Amino acid sequence: MPSFGLVHLEFLAIAAFWTIGLSAVAFIGGGMLGFVIALMRVSPSRLVRGIAITYVQVVQGTPLLILLFLIYFGLAIIGFDQLPAIIAAGIGLTIYSSGFLGEIWRGCIESVPKTQWEAAECLAMTRWQRMTRVILPQALRIATAPTVGFLVQIVKNTSLASVVGFVELAQAGKLINNSIFQPFMVFVTVAVFYFIICFPLSAWSRGLERRLNVGRR
Amino acid sequence: MSVVVKLSNVHKSFGPLKVLDGVSFEVARGEVVAVIGQSGSGKSTALRCINALETIQQGSIEVCGHAVHDEKLDKRKLRLDVGIVFQSYNLFPHLTAEQNIMLAPTCVKALGKKAARDIARDCLARVGLSEKADHYPEQLSGGQQQRVAIARSLAMQPKVMLFDEVTSALDPQLTGEVLKVMEDLARGGMTMILVTHEMAFARKVASQVVYMNKGKVWETGPGSMLDAPTTPELRDFVGSGL
Ligand SMILES: Nc1ncnc2c1ncn2[C@@H]1O[C@H](COP(=O)(O)OP(=O)(O)OP(=O)(O)O)[C@@H](O)[C@H]1O
Ligand SMILES: [Mg+2]
């Protein structure tokens, strides 16, 4: 039986890139959808708010694993049965991220004092102008640290994408282990890869938090 | 003299709490009206109703030809005519003093950057803060922040300005500099309604004093009314040294 070597390391490195790629898709897709959800959550229309609340509760109440299964097999049922794994995993993680990012950002928007809305309103600004020129710039500052923090969660959760046949870091580790059976060696290496991806993110998040707490602006 | 603000029999409740109980008064162009009264007597609520920040249940409010009590009121048009300054300044913390002032003229009146900056400079000069244009709110003292807030409101060239205890959060020295700006405005002919605890200022600058008590206009008259109150409530209020 061959032992853990350079080929395996290379295989893991490539899988790590897929992990990063999938994380990026989830973050960008989830970010865009989550932004819409956050805006819907603070809408003056009860109907719009209700739709967003329902969406968030369904997404947050569904385990990511189940969400991935549902999308993979659900899309197959309606005819997309040759769906590439990255698309299914990307859609699943996008929906998952949007549910959480939407709530994180809603909290940030609502933590801007109501008096800021009023001050802008009294200057005859439209609702859209108030949102984009006064509220969002302040919410953005509050949102940066928790958003980067959530990015770490996304990276780790991509490991579930293996259930739809996507070979990312964790799945690559499993495959290697199946052929050489050195679980400790293999999975420590996998963990190190995750750490290398996540550590800079969480360090960045902590740094942002510190900077925003001390210096404001 | 033309009437700019007219409240007639205004009633306003928050749930079971009756806050305005048939309030009526009029403000003519160029007039300075000081609204005084105990905490909780409904002064802020009255101001907020004038600016449609609160809706009223009964009565009518006319401001510069806008029927504020009307459901079909275009609030944005109303607010082009009415400026308001709050006790807590409410400057936008992510913008410099100058940017705070430029924001509404650029996005509401669609002025160019340069025209808006000229207005901002002019308004900052009027409140004596030309050299602070590039400071962020947190880099300014309370009095300076409040003067920027006044300048921000002025930049929209309102026909009436409302002031809600704009000096209450300031120590005496800073209060003085803000009151001076307001006195200059009054002398310049601005129509103003100010809720204040500064009795000396009210007596000196106001053309009309409105004393509110229990959600009603209890007593009203010229500034000299404070020297000879007719109701015992106002006598107590003035006597309490406020
Ligand atoms: N949004 C609100 N919801 C419920 N009650 C309110 C609200 N705003 C004000 N009130 C109540 O209405 C009453 C009058 O408040 P208002 O702020 O008008 O008083 P005020 O005369 O300005 O007092 P102060 O001098 O303390 O500022 C108070 O009892 C207050 O608690
Ligand atoms: Mg008040």
Side-chain angles (χ1 to χ4, degrees):
Chain A
M1 213 185 258
S3 68
F4 192 77
L6 218 51
V7 269
H8 301 121
L9 212 53
E10 195 188 327
F11 188 59
L12 285 180
I14 291 167
F17 274 105
W18 284 110
T19 290
I20 293 172
L22 184 56
S23 304
V25 169
F27 182 67
I28 294 166
M32 291 193 293
L33 193 53
F35 184 66
V36 173
I37 296 296
L39 291 184
M40 287 172 72
R41 281 289 271 114
V42 297
S43 157
S45 151
R46 185 176 299 188
L47 177 69
V48 173
R49 276 201 313 271
I51 294 171
I53 290 172
T54 311
Y55 176 84
V56 166
Q57 293 200 327
V58 168
V59 172
Q60 291 200 351
T62 311
L64 177 56
L65 192 65
I66 306 300
L67 196 60
L68 288 167
F69 276 135
L70 281 175
I71 286 172
Y72 193 58
F73 296 113
L75 287 175
I77 288 169
I78 58 170
F80 298 94
D81 49 358
Q82 290 301 309
L83 208 61
I86 178 131
I87 306 271
I91 294 175
L93 278 155
T94 291
I95 292 175
Y96 167 81
S97 309
S98 67
F100 286 90
L101 285 174
E103 275 306 272
I104 293 175
W105 292 341
R106 171 192 65 87
C108 295
I109 290 171
E110 285 181 346
S111 70
V112 176
K114 230 175 148 272
T115 51
Q116 291 283 310
W117 281 101
E118 259 182 15
E121 191 182 342
C122 290
L123 289 165
M125 293 167 74
T126 61
R127 202 185 140 75
W128 181 248
Q129 289 167 341
R130 281 175 250 158
M131 188 56 128
T132 55
R133 309 298 296 272
V134 175
I135 304 303
L136 287 180
Q138 296 182 58
L140 187 72
R141 215 183 284 172
I142 308 166
T144 328
T147 303
V148 176
F150 183 70
L151 198 46
V152 174
Q153 299 301 317
I154 295 180
V155 172
K156 290 191 283 193
N157 280 326
T158 55
S159 62
L160 290 172
S162 60
V163 299
V164 295
F166 187 77
V167 182
E168 41 61 64
L169 207 39
Q171 180 68 1
K174 229 182 290 173
L175 293 176
I176 293 172
N177 186 47
N178 286 348
S179 75
I180 62 174
F181 203 70
Q182 290 179 339
F184 189 70
M185 182 66 205
V186 170
F187 287 111
V188 164
T189 315
V190 167
V192 169
F193 269 104
Y194 274 114
F195 182 78
I196 291 171
I197 299 171
C198 293
F199 179 74
L201 292 176
S202 44
W204 182 32
S205 162
R206 268 198 309 278
L208 285 169
E209 204 144 17
R210 223 178 5 250
R211 197 146 22 111
L212 293 173
N213 283 344
V214 182
R216 300 281 303 159
R217 200 175 50 257
Chain B
M1 270 212 287
S2 60
V3 173
V4 178
V5 177
K6 179 173 175 156
L7 282 76
S8 312
N9 192 31
V10 172
H11 289 260
K12 165 80 189 170
S13 306
F14 291 109
L17 181 69
K18 185 115 213 171
V19 177
L20 298 182
D21 189 7
V23 169
S24 307
F25 63 85
E26 278 185 22
V27 183
R29 173 154 303 132
E31 212 186 349
V32 177
V33 173
V35 180
I36 59 172
Q38 274 91 350
S39 182
S41 55
K43 309 180 296 292
S44 299
T45 306
L47 274 199
R48 292 170 62 84
C49 289
I50 292 172
N51 201 17
L53 281 172
E54 308 284 357
T55 51
I56 63 174
Q57 275 100 33
Q58 201 190 319
S60 71
I61 303 179
E62 304 272 347
V63 178
C64 304
H66 305 279
V68 180
H69 54 275
D70 191 338
E71 274 173 27
K72 292 194 292 290
L73 168 76
D74 183 341
K75 289 188 184 178
R76 292 191 55 232
K77 283 215 179 103
L78 169 72
R79 278 144 188 178
L80 285 173
D81 289 336
V82 183
I84 186 165
V85 184
F86 302 94
Q87 178 177 349
S88 51
Y89 333 131
N90 302 350
L91 291 178
F92 306 132
H94 60 298
L95 300 177
T96 63
E98 186 175 274
Q99 291 165 342
N100 260 279
I101 302 171
M102 286 168 63
L103 182 61
T106 47
C107 66
V108 175
K109 294 194 170 169
L111 288 184
K113 271 256 147 59
K114 194 183 167 305
R117 180 164 295 122
D118 289 344
I119 290 178
R121 293 264 157 87
D122 177 52
C123 291
L124 278 173
R126 283 172 75 181
V127 300
L129 285 175
S130 295
E131 76 285 10
K132 301 289 187 190
D134 296 325
H135 285 56
Y136 284 90
E138 65 181 359
Q139 299 168 317
L140 299 171
S141 74
Q144 291 167 340
Q145 288 188 52
Q146 193 57 289
R147 285 187 283 157
V148 173
I150 294 173
R152 180 174 70 178
S153 194
L154 269 180
M156 292 297 281
Q157 298 166 315
K159 297 189 181 123
V160 194
M161 285 185 77
L162 313 176
F163 297 85
D164 191 0
E165 296 194 32
V166 294
T167 59
S168 295
L170 305 173
D171 61 36
Q173 189 200 340
L174 299 183
T175 295
E177 66 192 30
V178 174
L179 292 182
K180 186 180 166 302
V181 166
M182 292 168 66
E183 208 180 323
D184 290 346
L185 274 179
R187 209 172 296 129
M190 177 63 79
T191 309
M192 298 165 44
I193 305 178
L194 42 104
V195 171
T196 185
H197 285 298
E198 301 288 335
M199 290 303 145
F201 183 74
R203 191 181 280 117
K204 178 167 145 205
V205 179
S207 45
Q208 186 191 161
V209 174
V210 172
Y211 169 61
M212 286 186 62
N213 188 27
K214 299 183 182 140
K216 291 182 160 65
V217 174
W218 207 259
E219 198 172 332
T220 177
S224 58
M225 159 184 119
L226 295 173
D227 300 317
T230 48
T231 59
E233 287 82 5
L234 180 56
R235 199 171 310 134
D236 283 353
F237 181 67
V238 175
S240 67
L242 271 166

